[in-house]
Amino acid sequence: MANLLKDSSIQVKMLKIMGFVPTTLWTDIAWERLCELVGYDLSSEETKEIFQGGIDDKILYLVKRPVTAISKITFNNIEQASSSYGIYKEIAVRFDRHLPQNTRFPYRMSGICNNNEIIVEYTGGFTVATFPNLLIMVACDLINTLQLQTGEEGNLSSYKISDIAYQWKSNAEITGKFDNILSNYRSF
């Protein structure tokens, strides 16, 4: 899991947003939390996913996004020709025909099979050059929020001095504020 937030070009952007460059510990924490919120490691790497049961559509959605290359697809241990599929909107594989569920008949195998297997090997995720500014902004917000929760005030949910009152959000509220922003990057 490569932490793209440690790259110097991304740290320059973080400096502009936050006014300072966070330490390695804070960038590691923000990276882990960001990956946790979207549901997968955001850095670009070769990935292998196994699907059971076939699909009733021509589109098979993948977890790691954006999908940049598909190296190999096998259906019931038969490698598919690369001309029979392609990348769909950087989030899925689009086949030129339906992959039927619960049958091996189209592949000259006799009988019914209750467990078709589709294996997709692909490259997905972001590189330093393609890492979205929106995710950098969310990482900076996560760092700021987490830093405010540490120290003596981090154990309090609110406090008041004279006419000035401070109240912190719970972790659920903090995570929830990123839901709309991160929905385009989530695979679930």
Side-chain angles (χ1 to χ4, degrees), residues 10-33:
I10 290 179
Q11 289 203 341
V12 167
K13 292 178 181 181
M14 293 175 84
L15 173 65
K16 290 178 182 178
I17 294 169
M18 299 175 70
F20 65 93
V21 177
T23 65
T24 301
L25 176 64
W26 284 112
T27 56
D28 286 344
I29 291 169
W31 180 257
E32 289 171 11
R33 186 71 179 123

Side-chain angles (χ1 to χ4, degrees), residues 74-122:
T74 56
F75 184 63
N76 290 334
N77 296 322
I78 299 173
E79 188 170 342
Q80 302 299 295
S82 61
S83 60
S84 68
Y85 58 83
I87 298 172
Y88 176 73
K89 296 184 179 181
E90 296 184 329
I91 61 172
V93 178
R94 180 175 171 79
F95 296 95
D96 62 356
R97 60 181 167 73
H98 291 274
L99 296 182
Q101 289 195 28
N102 301 330
T103 180
R104 290 189 177 192
F105 179 72
Y107 299 96
R108 296 184 183 95
M109 296 181 185
S110 62
I112 300 288
C113 173
N114 291 326
N115 197 15
N116 288 336
E117 182 178 72
I118 303 169
I119 300 173
V120 181
E121 296 177 34
Y122 66 100

Side-chain angles (χ1 to χ4, degrees), residues 7-185:
D7 184 80
S8 60
S9 63
I10 290 179
Q11 289 203 341
V12 167
K13 292 178 181 181
M14 293 175 84
L15 173 65
K16 290 178 182 178
I17 294 169
M18 299 175 70
F20 65 93
V21 177
T23 65
T24 301
L25 176 64
W26 284 112
T27 56
D28 286 344
I29 291 169
W31 180 257
E32 289 171 11
R33 186 71 179 123
L34 195 57
C35 291
E36 182 182 309
L37 288 171
V38 296
Y40 58 93
D41 177 16
L42 291 162
S43 58
S44 181
E45 65 185 5
E46 182 75 22
T47 305
K48 180 179 183 178
E49 285 188 58
I50 301 172
F51 300 90
Q52 300 291 327
I55 56 174
D56 284 330
D57 197 0
K58 292 182 177 184
I59 298 173
L60 183 62
Y61 292 93
L62 303 171
V63 171
K64 199 164 177 71
R65 297 171 179 189
V67 176
T68 55
I70 300 171
S71 53
K72 182 172 142 181
I73 295 179
T74 56
F75 184 63
N76 290 334
N77 296 322
I78 299 173
E79 188 170 342
Q80 302 299 295
S82 61
S83 60
S84 68
Y85 58 83
I87 298 172
Y88 176 73
K89 296 184 179 181
E90 296 184 329
I91 61 172
V93 178
R94 180 175 171 79
F95 296 95
D96 62 356
R97 60 181 167 73
H98 291 274
L99 296 182
Q101 289 195 28
N102 301 330
T103 180
R104 290 189 177 192
F105 179 72
Y107 299 96
R108 296 184 183 95
M109 296 181 185
S110 62
I112 300 288
C113 173
N114 291 326
N115 197 15
N116 288 336
E117 182 178 72
I118 303 169
I119 300 173
V120 181
E121 296 177 34
Y122 66 100
T123 302
F126 296 100
T127 63
V128 170
T130 62
F131 197 70
N133 290 330
L134 195 57
L135 291 179
I136 295 171
M137 182 197 71
V138 170
C140 291
D141 196 348
L142 280 168
I143 290 170
N144 281 330
T145 304
L146 291 169
Q147 285 179 335
L148 288 173
Q149 289 181 332
T150 60
E152 190 175 311
E153 297 85 16
N155 296 327
L156 303 172
S157 61
S158 66
Y159 72 88
K160 183 176 180 180
I161 301 173
S162 190
D163 292 344
I164 301 171
Y166 294 95
Q167 185 170 353
W168 287 272
K169 294 181 176 184
S170 68
N171 281 332
E173 290 173 312
I174 293 166
T175 302
K177 76 179 182 179
F178 299 120
D179 280 344
N180 288 338
I181 295 171
L182 297 177
S183 64
N184 292 332
Y185 301 101

